[in-house]
Amino acid sequence: MRVSIGRFLHCVLALTIGLGAFPFLHSARLQAQDKDAEYVAEMQKADAAMSRQQFDEALKSFKRASSLRNKTSPEAHLGAARAHHSMGAFDKAADSCKEAVKHAGEDQELLARIQNQRGLSLFGLSQKPDDKHMREAEAAFRAALAADSRHLISQFNLGVALLRQGRDDDGVAELNAFLEGAPNAPEVADARRFIDNPRRARENYAPAFTLTTLDERRLTLEDLKGKVVLLDFWATWCGPCRQATPGLKVLHSKYKDRPFLIVGVSLDSEQTAWRSYVKDNEMEWPQYLDRNRRIAQLFRVRPIPTYVVLDHEGIVRETREGWSPSVDGWLDSVVKKYLKTIPE
């Protein structure tokens, strides 16, 4: 879910005249401005690192920026929360949001962004639909809307949190209000899907995607419904991925006459090497070259190989990173398991 982070703006004014009149006063002012400029530079570095998904570097810059403001900058604390969240450290993200709230002052728009991020982090900590963290996430999204009713992404998040708790009528009402207030928002398609089928908010449905395979076949998530699907994220330059190839061939051969499909998603940058490897190793299942990592990002794939198993409804049931000889047996067992769940 998108975190509606507003653009960080700061203006640094430089003294250009009268420096000789009060040297100590002007020296103090210039030192303050230098420090302010350093703070802005660190925040800019942090945002640039976030856009590159270099979350460790972003966190370091947000922390340096925070130190330059004596740890009283709500924007720097919020930035640290975003970085922690992106790394899956939801508890630290929620703690950073608490610090941000302490220093937000009367800035209601900023407070709404902080509370929305806190809600997302608590949502990430939740293990059960009705646990403490989910209830706290709901409260944080409501606090965001109370601070700024125009912060409609919080209304979307609140609707999803309510659906996750099984409170479908309340959740659908919030999502309808979101659609009315933000008809062109990126989350509109998701909101409509959740309204049509609230279960989507409770199950880990795979993100919608479209790709064109090596043999020029168009493949969508919708095309895969009714089948157990193994998404194999790999590359020719990845040693463990190459070691995994024989086992995948066995898996494909064993279940090729069942409602099962492997979809290879290669992170290669060189098309020739990819095509040659697929041909030489007789990898007969659909193959896609994810050169810009579009599909990998949708599924939040970082290390490869990564295996993602979807059931016949398109729900992500299993994810495993890395390969060892035991992975072949594991893949066989999970494919067999979810094939049994397909209605006769």
Side-chain angles (χ1 to χ4, degrees), residues 1-2 53 186 190 193 204-212 219-222 224 231 233 265 267 288 290 292-302 306 308 310 314 316 319:
M1 288 172 285
R2 177 172 57 92
Q53 298 188 349
D190 284 335
R193 280 194 289 268
N204 187 21
Y205 279 84
F209 63 83
T210 301
L211 53 82
T212 302
L219 200 61
T220 70
L221 178 64
E222 196 63 29
L224 302 174
L231 297 175
F233 291 88
V265 182
L267 274 60
Y288 171 69
D290 195 22
N292 62 2
R293 304 202 171 204
R294 178 175 60 89
I295 305 299
Q297 288 176 2
L298 277 178
F299 285 89
R300 298 183 180 180
V301 170
R302 291 186 186 174
T306 288
V308 179
L310 314 182
V316 177
T319 300

Side-chain angles (χ1 to χ4, degrees), residues 101-117:
V101 168
K102 291 179 185 177
H103 304 290
E106 299 300 317
D107 190 334
Q108 297 301 298
E109 191 274 337
L110 175 60
L111 185 59
R113 289 191 280 125
I114 295 168
Q115 291 287 14
N116 183 64
Q117 177 60 64

Side-chain angles (χ1 to χ4, degrees), residues 116-179:
N116 183 64
Q117 177 60 64
R118 182 167 178 267
L120 290 174
S121 300
L122 290 165
F123 197 99
L125 285 171
S126 176
Q127 298 296 316
K128 297 180 181 178
D130 59 350
D131 67 12
K132 169 187 172 184
H133 293 304
M134 184 58 69
R135 293 193 298 273
E136 290 178 343
E138 176 191 341
F141 294 136
R142 291 190 186 280
L145 287 168
D148 186 351
S149 61
R150 299 167 300 175
H151 200 259
L152 294 177
I153 188 61
S154 296
Q155 192 155 42
F156 171 82
N157 292 337
L158 174 60
V160 174
L162 291 168
L163 294 182
R164 182 65 65 90
Q165 296 174 71
R167 295 156 61 187
D168 290 355
D169 290 344
D170 292 340
V172 167
E174 294 294 343
L175 291 175
N176 278 321
F178 166 76
L179 289 176

Side-chain angles (χ1 to χ4, degrees), residues 15-324:
L15 295 176
T16 58
I17 59 174
L19 293 183
F22 304 99
F24 293 105
L25 175 60
H26 287 304
S27 176
R29 285 177 179 170
L30 286 174
Q31 287 175 6
Q33 287 175 349
D34 286 344
K35 192 172 184 179
D36 214 33
E38 192 177 352
Y39 167 80
V40 173
E42 286 295 342
M43 292 293 286
Q44 291 173 338
K45 281 172 59 180
D47 282 336
M50 288 291 292
S51 68
R52 296 191 302 269
Q53 298 188 349
Q54 295 174 335
F55 304 123
D56 283 328
E57 290 303 312
L59 183 59
K60 290 175 185 176
S61 286
F62 281 129
K63 287 183 174 181
R64 283 194 289 266
S66 180
S67 296
L68 289 166
R69 287 287 176 86
N70 297 317
K71 299 185 179 181
T72 62
S73 166
E75 292 90 351
H77 286 301
L78 175 57
R82 290 167 51 210
H84 280 307
H85 186 102
S86 298
M87 292 187 288
F90 302 125
D91 52 347
K92 292 181 180 179
D95 288 343
S96 292
C97 286
K98 280 187 180 180
E99 289 300 310
V101 168
K102 291 179 185 177
H103 304 290
E106 299 300 317
D107 190 334
Q108 297 301 298
E109 191 274 337
L110 175 60
L111 185 59
R113 289 191 280 125
I114 295 168
Q115 291 287 14
N116 183 64
Q117 177 60 64
R118 182 167 178 267
L120 290 174
S121 300
L122 290 165
F123 197 99
L125 285 171
S126 176
Q127 298 296 316
K128 297 180 181 178
D130 59 350
D131 67 12
K132 169 187 172 184
H133 293 304
M134 184 58 69
R135 293 193 298 273
E136 290 178 343
E138 176 191 341
F141 294 136
R142 291 190 186 280
L145 287 168
D148 186 351
S149 61
R150 299 167 300 175
H151 200 259
L152 294 177
I153 188 61
S154 296
Q155 192 155 42
F156 171 82
N157 292 337
L158 174 60
V160 174
L162 291 168
L163 294 182
R164 182 65 65 90
Q165 296 174 71
R167 295 156 61 187
D168 290 355
D169 290 344
D170 292 340
V172 167
E174 294 294 343
L175 291 175
N176 278 321
F178 166 76
L179 289 176
E180 183 177 347
N184 299 313
E187 294 78 15
V188 162
D190 284 335
R192 287 178 176 151
R193 280 194 289 268
F194 291 148
I195 290 169
D196 290 341
N197 180 9
R199 185 174 164 227
R200 285 186 171 274
R202 296 186 279 275
E203 298 281 6
N204 187 21
Y205 279 84
F209 63 83
T210 301
L211 53 82
T212 302
T213 63
L214 179 58
D215 57 359
E216 301 298 322
R217 191 160 52 124
R218 185 175 179 271
L219 200 61
T220 70
L221 178 64
E222 196 63 29
D223 296 330
L224 302 174
K225 293 291 179 63
K227 298 179 180 179
V228 175
V229 178
L230 168 61
L231 297 175
D232 168 35
F233 291 88
W234 69 289
T236 61
W237 44 260
C238 165
C241 301
R242 297 169 74 98
Q243 289 177 291
T245 301
L248 292 173
K249 292 178 67 174
V250 170
L251 195 68
H252 167 72
S253 179
K254 182 175 181 178
Y255 294 107
K256 65 181 179 181
D257 296 325
R258 304 284 301 279
F260 167 70
L261 188 66
I262 302 174
V263 179
V265 182
S266 170
L267 274 60
D268 277 282
S269 57
E270 174 51 54
Q271 185 171 148
T272 302
W274 167 64
R275 285 178 175 273
S276 296
Y277 187 86
V278 171
K279 181 180 178 181
D280 293 345
N281 288 276
E282 300 178 331
M283 299 165 74
E284 297 175 351
W285 51 94
Q287 297 288 341
Y288 171 69
L289 183 61
D290 195 22
R291 184 177 286 170
N292 62 2
R293 304 202 171 204
R294 178 175 60 89
I295 305 299
Q297 288 176 2
L298 277 178
F299 285 89
R300 298 183 180 180
V301 170
R302 291 186 186 174
I304 55 173
T306 288
Y307 306 100
V308 179
V309 179
L310 314 182
D311 73 5
H312 65 284
E313 294 185 277
I315 298 172
V316 177
R317 292 299 185 184
E318 308 280 351
T319 300
R320 183 157 176 169
E321 298 175 347
W323 183 86
S324 69

